[in-house]
Amino acid sequence: MKIIPQPHKIEKFAGEFVIENNDTIYSDSAFMPVAKLFAQLLHDANGTDLVFVDDMEPAKIIFTVDSVIQPDAYIIMINQGDAAISASNEVGCFYALQTLRQLFDMDGNHTPLACKNCYIEDYPKFGYRGLHVDICRHFFGLDTLKKIADLMSRVKLNKMHLHLSDDQGFRVQIDKYPLLNTVASTRSGSEVVTGGKRFVDNNPVSGYLTKQEIAEFVEYCNALHIDIIPEIDMPGHFVAALAAYPQFSCTGEVSSVRKLWGISKDILCAGNDDALQFAKDIVTEVAQLFPYELFHLGGDEAPKDRWCNCKLCKQRLSELKLASFDELQAWFVNEVRLHLQTLGKQVICWNDGIYNTTSPEVISQHWLGFKRKAMIRAANHGRKTIASPNFHMYLDYPYSITSLHKVRSLNPLKGVKRTAQGSILGVEATLWSEYIRTEDRLFFNLCPRIDAVSEVAWGSKHKGFIARVKHHNRVYDQLGIVYNKRATKRQIFGRISTTLKWWKKDSDIELIKNREVK
Ligand code: ACM
Ligand code: ZN
């Protein structure tokens, strides 16, 4: 029984349970959508069709509500010719379905579908189990996003963080400022590492999600029990928007969407009331598109060089009697946060955008792994935190830096005092896309590390992890999704040279080598 993520309790019994054509299935009405999905998956797997019955008694497969089970948890009991699935809510039942999918190896082309008799009890360790996707540096549209969401749901991840605005592109329809979807959504080239060198090419990159596409995607994710958290990164990482509306920068002189990666000194002016209104107007339109209560305001990597030399920013600082430009950022974030609060949203910021005077209401997404002590301190003081330490959770890094084992080794609660562990909402992996230019590369970076993310998020025991990942790879084979076939091997030699090649010679180096693996 090789399941990702490994359920908390599995007991095996003698004998086997076989699903045959015309077997009966019963479901309480609350779980009928999941039971129907189960029947559909069986049909898709090998043509087996189930017969729904109104009475529990004669049914061979039974989905029932059991209010004693904690929310999002589930129990599966398969014995003596029956399969009973219970949970207290639809989410828990949906997770049971994902386990059944693997238990019966529905991606493996079997006839008949069968599994060992067993008892499974399972529950997620963390409520927040996320994956961040950057569609700014390179644009990935609905088809790719839906595939990512499908993979997430299979391993029971439940939050997709969509990075919608950055220096290199603005990627969501905004009606009030049309230039955000012309000027800001296109750049004329990119920094690339290929053919043995790093340079800026002349290939345009453009695109954005329309409001209609977002509505479709929200509905799609809703069926998979995935919430979407939009991010509009500000005041830094905002060059694309400023290229369209340079009057909202400090200098008024931001002329083009950025082609280089890294950090720009040009950030949104915090002294200009119209710039603040610009920010509020954008987040208003974005907030209306996403029903989930969390909204990401970025806040990372915002150098204060421009603010230090800006008349309006200096004036704001003195009017507010602030001690530093960092405090000005905390003030700025708070203004936008209070506005978002009126729209029913809570705000997340990257940890380097959170200062002493930042509202305690702001959730921290901790990405600077070397500042782990700061994360522990913040969590111990009650700040809600999402753990994304870069060397464990940045899946844009090559496997030579962030191996499958490295991802799996994260313990987000380590060092956090027991009474404060509830402040750690969960974990999130990131897929920054500077060097992810194609869908193949995206899935190569994601798979199978997504399996490890899921095990950390779900709190699975480590035992048998590699064997389970190898087994789960058949899903990627079946779906035709590119994955790192060598990720399960411990790479002892050559990591430094691969990393150097990735950085200096060809950012697709690992993907290219992967193509040679049979
Ligand atoms: C980040 O990686 N700049 C959040
Ligand atoms: Zn300014």
Side-chain angles (χ1 to χ4, degrees):
M1 280 179 184
K2 297 193 178 80
I3 298 166
I4 299 269
Q6 167 84 341
H8 287 274
K9 183 168 179 183
I10 302 187
E11 270 180 51
K12 284 186 232 164
F13 309 126
E16 215 188 33
F17 179 85
V18 180
I19 305 180
E20 281 156 346
N21 222 15
N22 295 327
D23 274 350
T24 49
I25 177 168
Y26 164 86
S27 178
D28 282 349
S29 59
F31 292 165
M32 195 50 103
V34 183
K36 285 198 172 144
L37 193 52
F38 176 72
Q40 182 66 47
L41 289 172
L42 279 180
H43 177 85
D44 294 347
N46 71 351
T48 303
D49 284 318
L50 299 176
V51 177
F52 276 84
V53 292
D54 293 336
D55 200 353
M56 191 187 303
E57 213 42 67
K60 187 167 162 182
I61 300 164
I62 304 162
F63 284 77
T64 51
V65 178
D66 181 346
S67 55
V68 173
I69 299 174
Q70 61 172 304
D72 301 0
Y74 66 90
I75 292 175
I76 297 172
M77 176 71 170
I78 300 179
N79 205 8
Q80 299 183 341
D82 289 336
I85 296 97
S86 39
S88 63
N89 61 354
E90 193 182 323
V91 178
C93 188
F94 182 78
Y95 295 151
L97 168 82
Q98 298 304 337
T99 295
L100 291 169
R101 208 171 178 180
Q102 296 187 42
L103 208 56
F104 287 101
D105 206 0
M106 288 193 201
D107 294 288
N109 270 330
H110 302 290
T111 299
L113 288 162
C115 79
K116 291 210 171 69
N117 285 331
C118 61
Y119 173 81
I120 296 179
E121 211 178 282
D122 203 11
Y123 52 90
K125 178 166 181 172
F126 295 106
Y128 190 109
R129 305 180 300 278
L131 179 68
H132 154 285
V133 185
D134 171 9
I135 59 169
C136 300
R137 273 54 177 269
H138 285 94
F139 181 63
F140 295 96
L142 272 206
D143 286 352
T144 309
L145 292 175
K146 285 180 181 174
K147 283 189 205 169
I148 298 171
D150 287 339
L151 292 184
M152 287 173 67
S153 72
R154 280 172 177 268
V155 292
K156 308 177 184 116
L157 297 181
N158 67 346
K159 310 286 174 202
M160 187 189 283
H161 168 178
L162 263 189
H163 191 72
L164 292 169
S165 165
D166 212 302
D167 297 323
Q168 295 83 4
F170 192 92
R171 307 275 180 232
V172 52
Q173 179 183 344
I174 300 291
D175 297 327
K176 191 158 185 182
Y177 300 96
L179 298 184
L180 288 175
N181 299 128
T182 50
V183 176
S185 297
T186 303
R187 68 169 185 271
S188 57
S190 311
E191 184 179 344
V192 292
V193 183
T194 187
K197 53 185 190 299
R198 181 180 281 269
F199 59 98
V200 175
D201 72 11
N202 293 314
N203 300 328
V205 174
S206 71
Y208 65 92
L209 296 175
T210 64
K211 291 190 173 180
Q212 200 176 347
E213 285 174 319
I214 289 177
E216 184 184 327
F217 189 50
V218 166
E219 199 179 316
Y220 190 86
C221 285
N222 194 37
L224 299 174
H225 299 283
I226 293 173
D227 301 309
I228 309 174
I229 295 115
E231 178 183 355
I232 303 293
D233 200 343
M234 59 178 71
H237 283 289
F238 205 60
V239 166
L242 294 177
Y245 295 94
Q247 63 270 36
F248 302 134
S249 68
C250 292
T251 60
E253 286 173 0
V254 180
S255 58
S256 58
V257 179
R258 189 174 163 92
K259 294 193 262 187
L260 295 174
W261 315 129
I263 302 173
S264 170
K265 287 186 178 153
D266 286 312
I267 69 175
L268 187 67
C269 179
N272 178 345
D273 288 339
D274 293 341
L276 185 61
Q277 192 56 45
F278 179 55
K280 286 183 186 171
D281 288 342
I282 292 173
V283 300
T284 303
E285 287 198 37
V286 175
Q288 283 159 355
L289 299 173
F290 297 95
Y292 189 50
E293 67 210 27
L294 298 184
F295 194 107
H296 208 302
L297 275 182
D300 57 320
E301 299 178 321
K304 306 299 180 312
D305 307 58
R306 297 287 186 260
W307 285 6
C308 290
N309 293 304
C310 169
K311 194 169 130 243
L312 292 178
C313 284
K314 286 194 279 194
Q315 202 173 315
R316 179 89 80 197
L317 186 92
S318 75
E319 272 168 20
L320 295 169
K321 299 190 173 48
L322 301 175
S324 67
F325 285 101
D326 287 347
E327 287 193 6
L328 184 58
Q329 181 169 340
W331 171 83
F332 170 83
V333 165
N334 205 41
E335 289 293 302
V336 185
R337 181 188 75 79
L338 289 172
H339 175 68
L340 278 165
Q341 196 169 289
T342 66
L343 303 172
K345 305 290 179 186
Q346 271 183 66
V347 161
I348 309 175
C349 281
W350 296 106
N351 69 282
D352 54 328
I354 293 181
Y355 302 99
N356 288 339
T357 53
T358 299
S359 160
E361 301 276 314
V362 174
I363 298 166
S364 169
Q365 180 164 16
H366 196 95
W367 71 279
L368 287 166
F370 74 94
K371 288 198 170 172
R372 189 177 166 84
K373 280 193 183 140
M375 180 194 100
I376 293 169
R377 222 177 306 123
N380 282 346
H381 280 95
R383 186 178 296 280
K384 289 189 184 143
T385 300
I386 297 157
S388 300
N390 53 338
F391 287 114
H392 291 85
M393 284 287 145
Y394 270 33
L395 305 188
D396 50 308
Y397 289 6
Y399 284 80
S400 59
I401 298 177
T402 298
S403 66
L404 179 72
H405 300 84
K406 180 84 182 169
V407 179
R408 186 64 189 85
S409 68
L410 179 68
N411 175 2
L413 298 182
K414 195 169 166 212
V416 180
K417 66 183 183 197
R418 195 166 282 279
T419 50
Q421 290 187 349
S423 302
I424 306 289
L425 303 181
V427 295
E428 183 173 293
T430 69
L431 274 175
W432 298 102
S433 62
E434 288 94 331
Y435 301 104
I436 296 182
R437 293 181 290 169
T438 60
E439 192 185 275
D440 278 359
R441 177 66 199 282
L442 186 147
F443 286 114
F444 173 80
N445 273 47
L446 181 60
C447 306
R449 289 189 286 199
I450 190 174
D451 297 3
V453 175
S454 145
E455 295 239 327
V456 172
W458 205 259
S460 307
K461 293 201 180 76
H462 287 251
K463 196 162 168 274
F465 172 62
I466 292 301
R468 283 183 287 110
V469 171
K470 281 184 182 162
H471 183 80
H472 195 237
N473 280 344
R474 71 181 55 200
V475 172
Y476 308 130
D477 281 327
Q478 188 77 11
L479 296 173
I481 279 179
V482 175
Y483 64 98
N484 187 343
K485 295 175 190 159
R486 295 191 297 190
T488 48
K489 291 202 170 68
R490 270 193 195 271
Q491 193 185 351
I492 298 166
F493 303 108
R495 289 177 65 170
I496 293 175
S497 78
T498 301
T499 305
L500 286 174
K501 277 185 199 147
W502 164 77
W503 187 247
K504 291 186 163 180
K505 305 230 181 271
D506 197 321
S507 58
D508 280 336
I509 183 77
E510 290 185 327
L511 176 63
I512 292 165
K513 282 192 185 163
N514 192 60
R515 292 201 182 112
E516 292 157 13
V517 181
K518 285 280 159 279

